[in-house]
């Protein structure tokens, strides 16, 4: 409960309300608001429910997170409730791209909705990107050719998981497995899951229940940190071109 006092004060100020106006809206006394904001008393569960409804935020976000870094644009609508989603902007109010470094990727699942965690990430700006909320994620392994280990995928946040475009690649953040980069197919109506398919056929496809998905980011562009060698370019570009044309690749033995 250590965050609740400063959170109530900060959220009230975001709405540009005095303590008296805020108290009137909640049908409580100004002294009660003051007591909560100064930490002299902790709000009971009934009060927390009222704060949750008033600010349209889940109680756990009010209690567990330090929201003093948040602005009113730090929240997005998911269903009929807002959730915390920190957004960084530069001096011209343009969105910046937070870069999740490789060494911090393991902790992303714990900090993805924490403004303090996001605030500490390095940021870049790519003016050619389309509108939307973008973040850059490190790629590990070789399950998605021709993406090399250590590359970064810049991806756009998907608010509604049902908007998945079959065959498009996404960064998927799950409760138990953290983040992964795969081609995704919508199986929600059939099995309430997403089918994750690696481009590298040495890896198997698998289904993830949508209840396990905490964030979904659609591929926008990639940043390679290693130069492709001649072999990579020949194999990947030819295979990709034939795949796009719908040509099935067969071995020489099959063609005889």
């Amino acid at each position: 409960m250590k965050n609740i006092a400063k959170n109530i004060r900060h959220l009230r100020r975001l709405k540009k309300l005095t303590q008296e106006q805020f108290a009137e809206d909640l049908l409580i006394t100004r002294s009660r608001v003051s007591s909560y904001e100064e930490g002299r008393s902790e709000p009971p569960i009934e009060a927390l429910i009222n704060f949750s409804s008033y600010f349209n935020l889940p109680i756990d976000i009010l209690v567990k997170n330090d929201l003093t870094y948040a602005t009113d644009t730090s929240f997005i609508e998911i269903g009929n409730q807002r959730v915390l989603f920190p957004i960084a902007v530069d001096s011209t109010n343009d969105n910046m791209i937070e870069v999740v470094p490789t060494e911090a990727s393991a902790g992303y699942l714990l900090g993805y909705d924490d403004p303090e965690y996001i605030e500490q990430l390095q940021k870049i700006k790519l003016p050619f990107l389309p509108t939307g909320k973008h973040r850059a994620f490190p790629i590990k392994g070789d399950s998605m050719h021709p993406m090399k280990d250590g590359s970064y995928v810049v991806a756009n946040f998907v608010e509604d998981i049902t908007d998945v475009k079959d065959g498009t690649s996404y960064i998927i953040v799950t409760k138990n497995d953290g983040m992964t980069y795969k081609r995704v197919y919508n199986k929600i109506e059939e099995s309430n899951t997403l089918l994750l398919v690696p481009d590298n056929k040495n890896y198997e496809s698998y289904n993830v229940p949508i209840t396990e998905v905490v964030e979904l980011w659609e591929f926008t562009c990639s940043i390679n940190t290693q130069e492709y060698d001649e072999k990579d370019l020949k194999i990947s570009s030819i295979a990709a071109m034939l795949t796009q044309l719908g040509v099935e690749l067969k071995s020489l033995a099959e063609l005889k």
Side-chain angles (χ1 to χ4, degrees):
M1 297 288 283
K2 65 179 182 178
N3 291 316
I4 192 66
K6 56 186 176 183
N7 286 346
I8 293 172
R9 181 173 60 250
H10 181 67
L11 291 170
R12 171 180 63 79
R13 289 174 175 172
L14 281 181
K15 285 183 170 289
K16 297 180 171 57
L17 295 174
T18 65
Q19 285 187 341
E20 189 157 352
Q21 291 170 326
F22 183 46
E24 288 178 0
D25 286 347
L26 291 175
L27 302 177
I28 58 177
T29 64
R30 179 186 176 281
S31 61
R32 181 69 60 85
V33 172
S34 177
S35 177
Y36 293 155
E37 290 189 357
E38 293 172 12
R40 289 183 281 110
S41 63
E42 291 187 348
I45 186 62
E46 294 83 1
L48 289 176
I49 291 172
N50 288 336
F51 292 143
S52 173
S53 298
Y54 186 81
F55 294 118
N56 197 24
L57 289 170
I59 291 177
D60 63 332
I61 286 180
L62 288 172
V63 174
K64 293 193 303 184
N65 297 275
D66 180 357
L67 303 181
T68 54
Y69 286 89
T71 67
D72 209 37
T73 58
S74 297
F75 305 95
I76 59 172
E77 298 284 341
I78 298 292
N80 59 357
Q81 196 167 47
R82 295 196 305 167
V83 298
L84 182 63
F85 193 81
I87 295 176
V89 296
D90 64 8
S91 58
T92 61
N93 209 37
D94 288 331
N95 285 357
M96 300 292 289
I97 301 168
E98 299 97 2
V99 179
V100 181
T102 302
E103 60 272 16
S105 60
Y108 183 81
L109 190 60
L110 298 176
Y112 71 94
D113 62 352
D114 184 351
E116 291 183 89
Y117 174 86
I118 301 303
E119 179 70 21
Q120 294 170 6
L121 297 178
Q122 293 187 356
K123 299 168 183 63
I124 60 173
K125 184 176 179 181
L126 298 175
F128 55 81
L129 290 184
T131 57
K133 172 58 192 167
H134 292 84
R135 192 163 286 167
F137 297 89
I139 298 302
K140 295 180 181 179
D142 61 348
S143 66
M144 292 292 284
H145 287 323
M147 207 72 66
K148 283 179 172 268
D149 185 72
S151 299
Y152 281 81
V153 164
V154 179
N156 186 29
F157 182 71
V158 177
E159 292 190 25
D160 189 344
I161 198 171
T162 62
D163 289 337
V164 165
K165 304 169 187 172
D166 283 349
T168 298
S169 53
Y170 293 84
I171 294 287
I172 308 99
V173 182
T174 61
K175 294 177 183 177
N176 294 318
D177 298 325
M179 67 177 77
T180 187
Y181 176 55
K182 295 290 185 291
R183 208 165 290 280
V184 176
Y185 293 83
N186 188 337
K187 302 297 180 182
I188 296 175
E189 288 190 6
E190 302 169 29
S191 57
N192 216 33
T193 65
L194 297 179
L195 175 62
L196 275 52
V197 180
D199 285 349
N200 185 341
K201 299 311 175 185
N202 291 321
Y203 295 84
E204 293 185 359
S205 304
Y206 58 98
N207 290 82
V208 172
I210 61 170
T211 54
E212 287 292 307
V213 178
V214 295
E215 283 187 353
L216 193 65
W217 299 77
E218 183 181 352
F219 174 91
T220 300
C221 68
S222 62
I223 301 173
N224 296 315
T225 57
Q226 301 178 49
E227 184 179 8
Y228 289 123
D229 59 37
E230 191 175 350
K231 181 181 177 182
D232 288 330
L233 289 173
K234 284 182 178 178
I235 294 176
S236 64
S237 56
I238 293 173
M241 178 186 68
L242 292 176
T243 300
Q244 289 173 2
L245 292 174
V247 177
E248 183 179 357
L249 300 179
K250 297 183 178 181
S251 67
L252 290 175
E254 291 176 308
L255 293 173
K256 288 182 180 179

